[in-house]
Amino acid sequence: MEITSKGKMVLVTGGSGFIASYCIIALLNKGYKVRASLRSLNRIPDVKQMLSTGGITDFDNLSFVEADLSQENGWQEAVQGCTYVIHPASPTPNFNAKHEDEFITPAVNGVLFVLRAAKAAGVQRVVLTSAFGAVGMGTNKKTPYTEEDWSDLSQDVPAYQKSKTLSEKAAWNYVNGEGKGLELAVVNPVGVLGPVLGADYSHSIQMIHQMLTGRLKGVPSIRSGYVDVRDVADLHVKAMVDPAARGERFLAVAGESISMLDIANMLHSRLGDKAAKVPRKEIPGWLIRLTALFNPKIRLVVPLLGMVKEASHKKAALLLNWRPRSNQEAVNATAESLIRLGLLK
């Protein structure tokens, strides 16, 4: 549904992030005023460059504010005068963390800092970017996961996914308690692909980058759902304004899950010689587990080996008329943008 955007201000947190950048582009193109939060205002030129790559030529409706999720100061100023908040920002994960609380505590506190400031400033609705990690970890389903599902933290759930689960639950607890009256909607993306705007992009795209540059001699046996970042941003904006989205979660997934080898094959099919370094085989699970003993980033991959988790976007389609691009389109756009921007050197 169409809601007038004239004069309305939206705070987008973590404005240099991949999803956040596309949310800013979508909002500016719809006529909203946008205030983007950054940990350091030194990033403003970088952000403007990324937005320019994404097609923005007029920055009159864009402003910036300095705010950091590690502290409460700054968020009151950031939300002042805003009708809506889109909150994709997340504390930078410490992959060398010695305890899971180093992931969890900053994630939970950061969400609460933003929500408290939004409530105090009279913001109408916050759209929180959560993750599939808050939906489908620690459980196994033969049917697709939906928004009714939550990760089971009584099981062995990796710290990052646990932090996404607990921070989202903290958000719902807040708006159902002391934050009553503040509206909340949540978007739970799977692996995010799509055209990159610069060097800031998702973990899923790093894997494609490593394939194209030949850094991976084989791919792990991992299946995942994927979604194009442009569709993730579109879902955030729909969830921001549509009355039907109040108090709801929305899974952002394009379709059925695909394997890393499926992606490699798509790259070969689309790019021909430009995909010459892309691997054609899977790495045995035992070798990944061995490597993980020495590499903390690889350690995050181990729980996902051999896992098959399907998810459904039926709710977003029915309630918000959301129509995402296909996995193939998202993979193609990712690879072609990495090549176009010269990021494979």
Side-chain angles (χ1 to χ4, degrees):
M1 66 181 295
E2 287 302 314
I3 308 278
T4 180
S5 58
K6 190 172 174 64
K8 290 184 177 176
M9 175 75 79
V10 184
L11 173 69
V12 179
T13 67
S16 62
F18 189 45
I19 292 174
S21 298
Y22 272 97
C23 288
I24 293 169
I25 290 168
L27 291 164
L28 290 176
N29 284 335
K30 287 181 177 291
Y32 288 95
K33 293 180 179 176
V34 179
R35 183 182 297 146
S37 77
L38 297 169
R39 280 195 294 261
S40 167
L41 295 183
N42 293 335
R43 292 298 311 275
I44 290 176
D46 297 337
V47 174
K48 286 189 171 180
Q49 178 59 54
M50 289 190 289
L51 298 178
S52 297
T53 302
I56 298 299
T57 56
D58 182 353
F59 295 99
D60 287 350
N61 282 337
L62 176 64
S63 59
F64 295 91
V65 64
E66 192 165 284
D68 191 322
L69 287 175
S70 67
Q71 52 193 11
E72 196 153 10
N73 292 341
W75 291 107
Q76 295 85 353
E77 177 191 348
V79 298
Q80 215 56 40
C82 293
T83 305
Y84 305 109
V85 173
I86 291 180
H87 181 36
S90 187
T92 305
N94 176 10
F95 291 106
N96 295 307
K98 293 191 167 45
H99 194 277
E100 63 181 17
D101 285 349
E102 293 181 51
F103 278 84
I104 294 165
T105 303
V108 172
N109 287 346
V111 164
L112 293 176
F113 292 158
V114 172
L115 289 175
R116 286 181 192 133
K119 169 70 176 171
V123 167
Q124 180 180 329
R125 183 178 295 179
V126 174
V127 181
L128 170 66
T129 312
S130 184
F132 180 75
V135 174
M137 303 303 291
T139 61
N140 284 304
K141 283 182 69 178
K142 293 197 172 10
T143 54
Y145 285 86
T146 72
E147 291 81 1
E148 299 300 312
D149 294 306
W150 281 91
S151 292
D152 182 357
L153 300 189
S154 70
Q155 303 302 310
D156 187 18
V157 174
Y160 177 70
Q161 284 85 350
K162 191 177 280 192
S163 75
K164 299 305 281 188
T165 307
L166 290 172
S167 58
E168 187 188 337
K169 286 193 169 184
W172 287 118
N173 288 339
Y174 176 80
V175 297
N176 291 327
E178 63 179 289
K180 218 168 190 64
L182 175 65
E183 297 178 3
L184 178 67
V186 174
V187 176
N188 298 77
V190 289
V192 180
L193 301 177
V196 304
L197 302 173
D200 278 298
Y201 45 75
S202 71
H203 178 73
S204 302
I205 289 177
Q206 289 177 21
M207 192 73 81
I208 291 181
H209 183 280
Q210 290 175 341
M211 286 189 197
L212 288 167
T213 54
R215 288 183 62 194
L216 291 181
K217 303 308 176 192
V219 292
S221 176
I222 294 175
R223 292 187 71 87
S224 178
Y226 291 95
V227 63
D228 191 293
V229 66
R230 294 166 290 184
D231 298 319
V232 177
D234 178 52
L235 185 52
H236 277 76
V237 177
K238 289 181 186 299
M240 182 182 84
V241 297
D242 198 311
R246 177 183 178 179
E248 301 289 350
R249 310 168 88 197
F250 296 96
L251 273 164
V253 56
E256 291 185 0
S257 70
I258 55 176
S259 70
M260 296 300 302
L261 192 57
D262 290 333
I263 291 176
N265 291 335
M266 288 178 187
L267 294 173
H268 281 292
S269 173
R270 178 73 175 189
L271 300 177
D273 291 345
K274 291 178 181 174
K277 295 179 181 177
V278 173
R280 294 183 180 271
K281 62 178 190 237
E282 287 186 336
I283 305 171
W286 66 264
L287 184 55
I288 292 175
R289 290 183 174 88
L290 181 63
T291 309
L293 297 174
F294 312 99
N295 187 325
K297 287 191 177 182
I298 300 294
R299 210 168 296 145
L300 295 177
V301 169
V302 171
L304 307 177
L305 291 173
M307 197 180 283
V308 179
K309 291 182 182 290
E310 301 295 343
S312 168
H313 70 249
K314 185 176 179 181
K315 182 176 176 181
L318 287 175
L319 281 189
L320 304 181
N321 195 32
W322 185 64
R323 300 287 184 268
R325 294 164 176 81
S326 68
N327 285 326
Q328 179 83 62
E329 289 177 89
V331 170
N332 291 348
T334 303
E336 287 163 358
S337 66
L338 288 168
I339 292 168
R340 184 172 62 251
L341 296 182
L343 293 174
L344 299 180
K345 293 169 185 173

